[in-house]
Amino acid sequence: MATNVLPRSVQRLINELARLPGIGSKTASRLTFFLLRSADSNQALELSSALQELKEKTRFCSICYHITEEDPCDVCKDAERNQRLVCVVEEPLDVLAIERSRAYNGLYHVLHGAISPVEGVGPDDLYIEPFITRVANGDFEEIIIATNATLEGDSTARYLERRLAALGGRFRLTSLARGLAVGSDLEYTDEVTLGRALQGRQSL
Amino acid sequence: MATNVLPRSVQRLINELARLPGIGSKTASRLTFFLLRSADSNQALELSSALQELKEKTRFCSICYHITEEDPCDVCKDAERNQRLVCVVEEPLDVLAIERSRAYNGLYHVLHGAISPVEGVGPDDLYIEPFITRVANGDFEEIIIATNATLEGDSTARYLERRLAALGGRFRLTSLARGLAVGSDLEYTDEVTLGRALQGRQSL
């Protein structure tokens, strides 16, 4: 009696999908059978070609390590941006979030992660060295450390601070303000954030 | 100021992944950046080729509508199986589950879904007609309706029952027993299941 009557190609896709983070074998099966049955019969092929294109066309910008199709990336190439201001972020998506704020006109550096001893991510696993070199060789006026407001983000910020301080104090080192989210209720704001909002209070 | 500095190919993969059920744009971004950064640089390409292979190599068995690389499928081709016994299931994965039980040696029919007015799935969206034709032209002794023990599964079972009854009573129509899961505590079994287990009690 056959005990595994699933075709090899189906099992292969399930296995590949299950390698993605947060996708277990149940979800992988569900997605595979969705694609097998999809009304848009090209969906699996579209996804396949998008994956291929991703690998073929994208690379990291050799200056800021943002993801780009052309090196250097659009931001690094943009002469209208403030070339003496740089913002360090964990992920490419953080660049997008900051751009959406329309409140920043400097350059970026993407670390591609944060230091996390728990997950075994050390400074050498991130693009920290290229940034230190870039700062040492560059002429920045201000460096904004914009890592996440998490334990890992804060550890990474502290590490960067130490490394950058060793370069001598030719630039200002800043970090994003902590405080109430715009539109949020004071009542529902956690005590740590509220504490930081009080410490950082500004005169009207 | 650039407001979307994400390369087109990256955005394209995010969009494609977000079309999958249960994957929102946040998860799609997370998966895309995982693949961009993956230590196994071939992972995206492996996934891409698995998707392509899925579409190229698999089809539905023309007899039972199970997923297969060869038509008819291994189960339908297997002369050692009881050709007069057929089990109707919702999904190809249900065939696997039943095979794993090692308690069945008949044929299958896969409906590829269940009737669900809420989700707009009617009998015509499933492979019900081919099954009615198969039964009408065949010589089955018993038909086991093994749809899920859900509202949709039960509706589908009722619909099949009506349609099959119209063919005349040449075969026995059965359904899977409802009752306590093996290894489960009576205390934690829901009252409906317990009710069905009592109704279906068997002499020792």
Side-chain angles (χ1 to χ4, degrees):
Chain A
M1 197 188 305
T3 49
N4 191 344
V5 286
L6 209 53
R8 206 194 52 79
S9 51
V10 176
Q11 193 59 55
R12 184 182 164 206
L13 182 58
I14 294 177
N15 295 346
E16 281 297 332
L17 287 170
R19 289 175 63 196
L20 296 173
I23 296 195
S25 63
K26 284 239 167 152
T27 307
S29 298
R30 198 170 46 83
L31 292 175
T32 300
F33 284 99
F34 169 82
L35 287 168
L36 270 167
R37 237 197 344 254
S38 166
D40 172 2
S41 61
N42 280 329
Q43 190 167 354
L45 294 178
E46 288 286 338
L47 182 55
S48 165
S49 107
L51 282 157
Q52 220 174 330
E53 203 184 66
L54 182 80
K55 277 296 168 185
E56 280 165 7
K57 293 211 180 157
T58 61
R59 68 199 80 182
F60 291 163
C61 170
S62 58
I63 300 172
C64 74
Y65 293 83
H66 187 42
I67 280 157
T68 182
E69 289 189 1
E70 281 170 46
D71 187 20
C73 73
D74 288 345
V75 175
C76 287
K77 270 195 307 211
D78 188 349
E80 288 183 17
R81 284 179 171 258
N82 183 347
Q83 307 289 321
R84 303 196 62 202
L85 178 61
V86 65
C87 178
V88 188
V89 295
E90 292 181 23
E91 302 289 348
L93 286 175
D94 300 334
V95 173
L96 264 74
I98 294 177
E99 287 296 303
R100 272 196 302 267
S101 77
R102 296 175 173 274
Y104 183 69
N105 195 27
L107 304 176
Y108 290 98
H109 185 87
V110 182
L111 298 173
H112 289 277
I115 296 172
S116 168
V118 178
E119 292 180 38
V121 181
D124 294 342
D125 300 312
L126 309 173
Y127 293 93
I128 289 181
E129 283 320 311
F131 181 60
I132 302 296
T133 312
R134 185 180 172 195
V135 172
N137 297 335
D139 181 26
F140 291 116
E141 208 165 53
E142 181 177 350
I143 297 171
I144 307 173
I145 300 188
T147 49
N148 288 336
T150 57
L151 199 65
E152 290 79 15
D154 285 344
S155 311
T156 311
R158 292 299 81 73
Y159 179 82
L160 280 172
E161 225 180 301
R162 256 201 332 274
R163 292 294 308 275
L164 291 168
L167 296 178
R170 296 172 298 170
F171 41 77
R172 216 151 56 92
L173 212 54
T174 58
S175 72
L176 297 184
R178 304 285 196 260
L180 298 185
V182 175
S184 69
D185 275 5
L186 204 128
E187 182 184 354
Y188 299 122
T189 302
D190 67 280
E191 63 272 24
V192 184
T193 303
L194 206 49
R196 295 293 295 268
L198 277 164
Q199 280 168 25
R201 67 191 179 277
Q202 308 200 326
S203 17
L204 296 173
Chain B
M1 196 188 308
T3 49
N4 191 345
V5 287
L6 209 55
R8 205 194 52 76
S9 51
V10 175
Q11 193 58 57
R12 183 182 165 206
L13 182 58
I14 294 177
N15 295 346
E16 281 296 333
L17 286 170
R19 289 174 64 196
L20 296 173
I23 296 197
S25 62
K26 286 239 166 154
T27 307
S29 298
R30 199 170 47 81
L31 292 175
T32 300
F33 284 97
F34 169 83
L35 287 168
L36 271 168
R37 237 194 347 252
S38 167
D40 172 2
S41 62
N42 281 327
Q43 190 168 353
L45 295 178
E46 289 285 340
L47 183 54
S48 165
S49 108
L51 282 158
Q52 219 174 331
E53 204 184 69
L54 181 80
K55 276 296 169 183
E56 280 165 5
K57 293 210 180 158
T58 61
R59 69 199 78 181
F60 290 162
C61 170
S62 59
I63 300 173
C64 73
Y65 293 84
H66 188 42
I67 281 157
T68 182
E69 289 189 0
E70 280 170 48
D71 188 19
C73 72
D74 288 345
V75 174
C76 287
K77 269 193 308 210
D78 188 348
E80 287 182 17
R81 283 179 170 259
N82 182 347
Q83 308 288 323
R84 301 195 64 202
L85 178 61
V86 64
C87 177
V88 189
V89 295
E90 293 181 22
E91 304 289 347
L93 286 175
D94 300 334
V95 172
L96 264 72
I98 294 177
E99 286 296 303
R100 272 196 302 269
S101 78
R102 297 176 173 274
Y104 183 69
N105 195 25
L107 305 176
Y108 290 98
H109 185 89
V110 182
L111 297 173
H112 290 276
I115 296 172
S116 167
V118 177
E119 293 181 36
V121 181
D124 294 342
D125 300 311
L126 309 173
Y127 292 93
I128 290 181
E129 283 321 311
F131 180 60
I132 303 296
T133 312
R134 186 179 171 194
V135 173
N137 297 334
D139 181 28
F140 291 115
E141 206 166 54
E142 180 178 352
I143 297 171
I144 307 174
I145 301 187
T147 49
N148 288 336
T150 59
L151 199 64
E152 290 79 15
D154 285 343
S155 311
T156 311
R158 292 298 83 72
Y159 179 82
L160 280 171
E161 226 181 298
R162 256 202 329 274
R163 292 294 307 276
L164 290 168
L167 296 177
R170 295 171 299 171
F171 42 78
R172 216 151 57 94
L173 211 53
T174 57
S175 73
L176 298 185
R178 304 287 194 258
L180 298 186
V182 176
S184 69
D185 275 5
L186 205 128
E187 183 183 354
Y188 300 120
T189 303
D190 69 280
E191 64 270 28
V192 183
T193 303
L194 205 48
R196 296 293 295 269
L198 277 165
Q199 280 169 25
R201 66 190 180 277
Q202 308 198 328
S203 18
L204 296 172

